[in-house]
Amino acid sequence: GSIHFAWVGDLNGDGNPDYLIDRNTTNPQTIEAYTHNGTFLWEVNFGPNSANQDNISPGSATIDVGHNDGVTVYDVNGDGRAEVIIKIANGVRFGNGVTFSNSNNNNQFIGVLNGATGALLASAAVPNDFLSVGPLSGWLGVGNCGIVFFGQNRNASGSFNQQHYCYTWNGSSSLTLKWKVNNNSARGHQMRIVDVNRDGTDDMAHLGFALSGVNGAVLYTLAGVNHGDRYHIADMDPARAGLEGYGIQQDNPNGLHEYYYDAANGTFFWKHSGAVTDVGRGDAGDLDGTQPGWEVFSFDGVHNARTNVMLAQPANSPWPSLRLWWDANDLADSYNDGKIEKFVPNAGTSGRWVTVMTRITDYASDAVTEDRGAPLFYGDILGDWREEVVVGNSANNKLYILTPPGTSNTRPTLRNDRYYRNCLSIKGYMQSHHVSFYLGADAPPPASDTYQAESATAAGGVTFDTNNSGFNGTAFANFPATGGSLTFNNIDGNGGGTKSLAIRYANGNAAARTGTIRVNGGTATSITFASTGGWTNWTTLNVNITLNNNGTNSIVFASTGNDLGNIDEITVP
């Protein structure tokens, strides 16, 4: 069958992005896992209960129908290997050949799979209050609140029953339902998992409402908002604290077209109304660096979000498909069905920035694989802060990973941001990923903290030396061949989560030197300092580590027989 979606994550823990694809076969459905270099890992067969792929009432094990995916990839327990989370039912055969069994074909479960083997690690029931109507279809995602599942089925009258679930996993065999909420307020085609009220716990936001990630309580409902295909939550206005939301409407009976609001409490800043219509598409990003904050753009034109001033009429607006951070600056680019475009301010038109078709002659068209002009997957998968694009070919036997052009931008990887990682875990009708901080032409320099080596605690023969020029601060740390350690204490996590730790060092030895790094008392992992060609040639090594959201983190470097590079300083973004 055709390749219909792709998920990306480090499944086997080797530090490279691996790929999970859906073949979109009709009976039964399957997903396949491959390493970054194309080596097959395992397959899950969703069994006889995946045969019914009707987009309103699919089978209990059916995945990837319309906006209902039922699959996600995320390193939930922080061990450096991504798990695969899927919706399962009777007859699903996992990657290790074991088949899931339940006496009722309509009963559904959430399963956590080992990313390297496809074996089931843990499962928990999905309590369906509307089982008489049929199984639930829906979306999966992950935040620090837990594994989130949105499920729905449809009554004979055409109305929907919507249920929202949050599960916690202990990292091994126990998956527990944290809370369940029935809420039939306006929903779109995707959820957002983001800490809207800044209480430290990610919440579950939909087109017209938000639920607390702590207990599922309704935080607010957007009055008068009905169904719509797109909505966005991001820091669109750097002049005010918190996040803002923007959404569009489909055939709202009151004529509401689009709206802009406070994502913390649902207070509207402005609304646009007109004749009852399906606005269809809408997006958000900093299109015009001369205007304050972000722009929002739809088939109703381009508006500056803060000022509500129209910058481009509908006929001259960029197609609102997917906002993409592609080139070297912080302005928003756009992915539009195989084309990467850039808005030209004051020209009243959309200028095409890159035409993907000129580089991939057998790029799969929307009719073959891609969902509504979207790629199979996109995001910062290489850790260079910009966003890569994953598309399939027309023969459905290749994935192409499009990488942005070279850049001098020094911002940390987008994946350092928890909200961005949450966005990568959600598909639905694919929508733009966002970060929890303001990112635009008028954004401040990236926040970071630098710690000099001489401020750390040396042991086992480590000395602070000054004989090689070019170091910062007052000295650098020189390690013995073995037994030396350098401990940085009270490191600020700057929001916590995965951080790209920058280590400034020199290694004048002809060969690389390898030792270990240990974070917060965890497992010591190997770290290699390549030769810099001279002891006065200083360079930066970036290593992904996980920090707590406070100032009590510790980072320990140790020599284990091969010496280490001379360490000058470390920087935490």
Side-chain angles (χ1 to χ4, degrees):
S2 62
I3 302 173
H4 199 243
F5 73 60
W7 291 100
V8 180
D10 184 1
L11 299 176
N12 55 13
D14 67 356
N16 294 301
D18 304 312
Y19 301 89
L20 188 73
I21 65 170
D22 163 34
R23 285 290 186 181
N24 200 33
T25 50
T26 56
N27 185 15
Q29 287 185 301
T30 62
I31 55 173
E32 302 166 7
Y34 294 87
T35 65
H36 70 284
N37 60 8
T39 302
F40 175 78
L41 286 174
W42 49 263
E43 174 188 274
V44 169
N45 183 315
F46 284 84
N49 286 306
S50 68
N52 178 9
Q53 295 181 47
D54 183 278
N55 65 358
I56 300 299
S57 300
S60 55
T62 301
I63 61 167
D64 191 25
V65 177
H67 64 189
N68 301 302
D69 48 78
V71 178
T72 193
V73 175
Y74 198 98
D75 181 8
V76 183
N77 60 1
D79 65 353
R81 295 175 296 177
E83 287 75 41
V84 176
I85 301 101
I86 58 175
K87 175 172 62 69
I88 60 178
N90 183 47
V92 173
R93 188 174 72 241
F94 303 114
N96 61 346
V98 174
T99 299
F100 189 79
S101 178
N102 188 266
S103 59
N104 188 329
N105 284 327
N106 285 330
N107 288 343
Q108 295 172 295
F109 302 79
I110 300 300
V112 180
L113 309 186
N114 182 303
T117 67
L120 181 68
L121 299 175
S123 65
V126 176
N128 184 353
D129 294 347
F130 309 99
L131 189 59
S132 61
V133 179
L136 302 171
S137 59
W139 325 308
L140 281 162
V142 180
N144 73 355
C145 56
I147 297 170
V148 177
F149 174 60
F150 165 77
Q152 64 178 356
N153 57 22
R154 193 172 191 178
N155 301 309
S157 65
S159 62
F160 287 92
N161 304 303
Q162 299 176 180
Q163 295 188 264
H164 312 78
Y165 306 82
C166 185
Y167 295 83
T168 56
W169 180 47
N170 70 347
S172 56
S173 61
S174 179
L175 185 67
T176 305
L177 181 64
K178 180 180 179 182
W179 51 257
K180 175 178 73 72
V181 173
N182 298 346
N183 189 310
N184 275 332
S185 300
R187 57 98 181 96
H189 292 288
Q190 195 201 49
M191 61 184 170
R192 301 276 182 185
I193 302 176
V194 54
D195 185 5
V196 295
N197 56 7
R198 300 297 176 98
D199 66 354
T201 301
D202 292 327
D203 307 302
M204 184 185 191
H206 282 264
L207 179 84
F209 64 99
L211 303 177
S212 167
V214 175
N215 54 20
V218 177
L219 297 177
Y220 58 81
T221 300
L222 296 175
V225 170
N226 293 350
H227 179 73
D229 281 358
R230 297 289 187 270
Y231 74 102
H232 304 271
I233 295 175
D235 189 352
M236 305 183 198
D237 184 354
R240 65 175 302 275
L243 306 176
E244 294 78 40
Y246 164 73
I248 60 172
Q249 290 286 270
Q250 177 178 324
D251 300 328
N252 187 293
N254 297 317
L256 180 63
H257 285 197
E258 54 186 353
Y259 53 95
Y260 178 61
Y261 64 100
D262 186 338
N265 55 31
T267 300
F268 290 102
F269 295 129
W270 53 253
K271 300 178 183 179
H272 295 161
S273 298
V276 175
T277 188
D278 180 4
V279 177
R281 297 288 183 274
D283 216 318
D286 189 7
L287 297 182
D288 188 343
T290 68
Q291 302 295 318
W294 279 19
E295 281 67 51
V296 294
F297 52 111
S298 70
F299 291 142
D300 275 14
V302 177
H303 290 81
N304 179 261
R306 182 199 299 181
T307 63
N308 194 21
V309 172
M310 177 175 277
L311 303 179
Q313 295 290 331
N316 296 325
S317 298
W319 187 275
S321 181
L322 286 172
R323 194 269 309 119
L324 182 71
W325 283 305
W326 180 258
D327 61 7
N329 59 47
D330 292 332
L331 290 172
D333 307 308
S334 179
Y335 179 89
N336 174 20
D337 196 15
K339 304 175 292 295
I340 296 175
E341 300 174 334
K342 194 174 191 70
F343 182 66
V344 181
N346 304 317
T349 186
S350 174
R352 186 161 296 172
W353 179 242
V354 174
T355 302
V356 177
M357 290 290 287
T358 62
R359 293 193 287 170
I360 302 181
T361 57
D362 59 348
Y363 161 74
S365 68
D366 182 42
V368 178
T369 63
E370 324 302 1
D371 180 19
R372 298 192 169 201
L376 297 174
F377 187 90
Y378 91 98
D380 182 11
I381 63 177
L382 299 183
D384 58 359
W385 89 265
R386 302 160 302 159
E387 296 181 303
E388 288 73 38
V389 178
V390 180
V391 298
N393 67 333
S394 56
N396 293 294
N397 59 10
K398 292 181 181 179
L399 294 180
Y400 293 111
I401 295 88
L402 312 183
T403 59
T407 175
S408 59
N409 194 303
T410 58
R411 291 194 178 279
T413 168
L414 298 172
R415 292 200 315 256
N416 282 349
D417 185 69
R418 188 176 79 229
Y419 178 29
Y420 187 84
R421 297 196 304 275
N422 296 353
C423 287
L424 294 183
S425 75
I426 306 167
K427 183 173 179 283
Y429 280 158
M430 189 179 291
Q431 302 195 33
S432 301
H433 311 317
H434 297 297
V435 292
S436 61
F437 56 91
Y438 180 75
L439 182 54
D442 50 346
S448 63
D449 292 312
T450 297
Y451 301 85
Q452 298 298 324
E454 60 270 26
S455 68
T457 301
V462 172
T463 59
F464 296 120
D465 296 339
T466 60
N467 57 311
N468 298 324
S469 63
F471 60 86
N472 296 326
T474 59
F476 58 85
N478 187 4
F479 287 77
T482 189
S485 67
L486 185 69
T487 302
F488 291 84
N489 287 310
N490 301 317
I491 300 298
D492 195 331
N494 291 337
T498 302
K499 299 288 184 178
S500 182
L501 178 71
I503 307 164
R504 190 171 190 264
Y505 78 98
N507 176 14
N509 191 49
R513 291 182 167 184
T514 298
T516 64
I517 181 173
R518 185 191 304 268
V519 179
N520 291 333
T523 302
T525 59
S526 177
I527 184 171
T528 299
F529 294 84
S531 173
T532 62
W535 292 110
T536 59
N537 297 334
W538 299 89
T539 190
T540 299
L541 170 66
N542 289 92
V543 178
N544 284 342
I545 61 173
T546 300
L547 298 178
N548 300 317
N549 181 25
N550 52 43
T552 61
N553 294 280
S554 66
I555 301 174
V556 182
F557 297 92
S559 56
T560 56
N562 188 228
D563 207 322
L564 281 182
N566 291 342
I567 295 180
D568 179 28
E569 61 188 25
I570 63 173
T571 299
V572 179

